[in-house]
Amino acid sequence: AKDEGGNGLCFFDPAMESLVLKHAALAEDLRDALRERQFLLHYQAQVSGGRLSGAEVLVRWQHPDKGLVSPGEFIPLAEETGLIIPLGNWVLETACAQLAAWDDDPLLSSLTISVNVSFQQFRQDDFVDQVLATLRRTRANPERLKLELTESMLASNVDALIERMYALKAKGVGFALDDFGTGYSSLSYLKRLPLDHLKIDQSFVRDVFIDSNDSAIVKTIIALAQSLGLGVIAEGVETEEQRDYLVSVGCHACQGYFFSRPLPVEAFETFVRKFQRT
Ligand code: C2E
Ligand code: CA
Ligand code: CA
Ligand code: CA
């Protein structure tokens, strides 16, 4: 960190100043957290055709004073400070090691793991090599790894992005476009990307019975996915009614509190065993 000494900054708004200081303190904590391994992964079930098909991994920060901090609070900061690179590598490594560990268990060995990837990670020149090296090192099956990208990644240098996606795709790695419908992805890009799934953003699922615009959007995304030959995953599914509706209009998979919250790995494994038996 640079020595800013405070004199380069002139804040006249004390509330603003305290916010900036808090931000700096949290950024410092984040650096320590990586060193001290304060991060952990939670796994959230994805259900398809009544069966568990996979899990999305969601990172958590076990802060020494603040307790469990949600990624909404520290991912943006990690992105700003560049710490998303080592953090993202750790997430990928841990997720791939988990995939490999599930290989010997018949109830777990067919599950896929979806990993969220930030633009800063994906645009690194060695991103593809990093992922492939991690797969080799952990002996994880690439066919069971899915990467979740967001529409905002399509804002610049799409050709490079597409090339990287194809390189990973050739090894078996799958792709989903996350939070679909909230960004501004051009439909012409969409057909050029080697995607497997679109993920319908939870904001549309939440109000699907309240706002007729949202049910129209959901149906449109499904129709679009079908015409592009992609699967659709709905996220933020909280009720049985939502699940039934989404399945009836053609969603392939659902994820949300209705099935399970994101869980620590042991709890997730217990959930899988119960779920697959019923
Ligand atoms: P996301 O990828 O859209 O993940 C879905 C978020 O919705 C998660 O929040 C999840 O806990 C929450 N969620 C799942 N089911 C429900 C539901 O039924 N109802 C409601 N209200 N919420 C539900 P979380 O875990 O707080 O993560 C927030 C965001 O942080 C993620 O959004 C993702 O963008 C980012 N994130 C999480 N882990 C990672 C990571 O390892 N790397 C990167 N780059 N980003 C991550
Ligand atoms: Ca996601
Ligand atoms: Ca999402
Ligand atoms: Ca989101």
Side-chain angles (χ1 to χ4, degrees):
K2 283 213 194 77
D3 178 19
E4 283 160 344
N7 35 14
L9 303 163
C10 33
F11 288 110
F12 300 104
D13 180 351
M16 180 69 153
E17 181 164 18
S18 103
L19 201 72
V20 168
L21 290 177
K22 248 192 218 153
H23 199 77
L26 202 63
E28 197 51 47
D29 284 2
L30 206 55
R31 258 180 280 275
D32 295 342
L34 265 168
R35 265 198 309 273
E36 290 163 25
R37 304 182 171 278
Q38 292 167 5
F39 293 102
L40 61 148
L41 295 183
H42 279 184
Y43 294 73
Q44 187 176 36
Q46 296 177 326
V47 177
S48 176
R51 305 286 299 166
L52 241 138
S53 54
E56 177 177 3
V57 298
L58 295 153
V59 67
R60 302 287 180 258
W61 178 7
Q62 186 69 61
H63 190 284
D65 317 315
K66 296 191 178 75
L68 217 55
V69 184
S70 77
E73 285 181 58
F74 64 86
I75 292 285
L77 192 60
E79 288 175 336
E80 261 171 57
T81 54
L83 288 169
I84 192 67
I85 304 296
L87 177 59
N89 286 341
W90 177 83
V91 170
L92 188 67
E93 179 91 28
T94 308
C96 287
Q98 193 60 64
L99 267 182
W102 286 346
D103 267 345
D104 307 321
D105 187 319
L107 284 179
L108 299 163
S109 62
S110 64
L111 300 182
T112 60
I113 286 187
S114 296
V115 175
N116 292 287
V117 176
S118 287
F119 180 53
Q120 276 89 329
Q121 288 176 269
F122 209 88
R123 71 159 198 219
Q124 299 288 307
D125 285 332
D126 64 348
F127 181 76
V128 170
D129 293 336
Q130 280 276 356
V131 174
L132 297 180
T134 303
L135 285 164
R136 275 195 302 271
R137 205 164 42 237
T138 56
R139 299 174 189 277
N141 179 353
E143 306 272 348
R144 288 165 57 210
L145 177 66
K146 304 236 175 293
L147 301 181
E148 297 197 354
L149 311 181
T150 54
E151 286 175 272
S152 59
M153 295 188 183
L154 305 176
S156 66
N157 205 351
V158 185
D159 291 327
L161 182 95
I162 292 174
E163 203 176 299
R164 279 170 204 190
M165 287 178 75
Y166 271 103
L168 288 167
K169 185 87 195 161
K171 305 288 180 184
V173 176
F175 289 97
L177 200 54
D178 207 356
D179 302 344
F180 190 73
T182 60
Y184 43 86
S185 56
S186 140
L187 298 184
S188 63
Y189 284 155
L190 211 51
K191 67 171 191 215
R192 294 178 55 205
L193 304 177
L195 289 167
D196 301 277
H197 292 98
L198 298 180
K199 285 189 87 170
I200 301 179
D201 190 66
Q202 57 189 55
S203 61
F204 304 120
V205 173
R206 190 194 322 124
D207 296 336
V208 81
F209 294 125
I210 300 160
D211 188 338
S212 61
N213 289 323
D214 286 347
S215 55
I217 291 169
V218 165
K219 285 187 202 153
T220 304
I221 294 175
I222 292 169
L224 175 67
Q226 273 165 356
S227 69
L228 293 168
L230 306 177
V232 185
I233 304 174
E235 62 180 16
V237 179
E238 294 186 355
T239 68
E240 188 168 16
E241 290 71 32
Q242 287 171 342
R243 192 269 317 263
D244 291 346
Y245 174 78
L246 290 160
V247 169
S248 76
V249 293
C251 258
H252 304 93
C254 292
Q255 181 183 340
Y257 298 166
F258 171 64
F259 303 101
S260 168
R261 296 204 165 238
L263 300 169
V265 68
E266 300 78 21
F268 175 75
E269 290 174 356
T270 305
F271 173 79
V272 174
R273 289 182 218 292
K274 269 200 216 127
F275 193 96
Q276 303 289 49
R277 285 213 184 89
T278 54

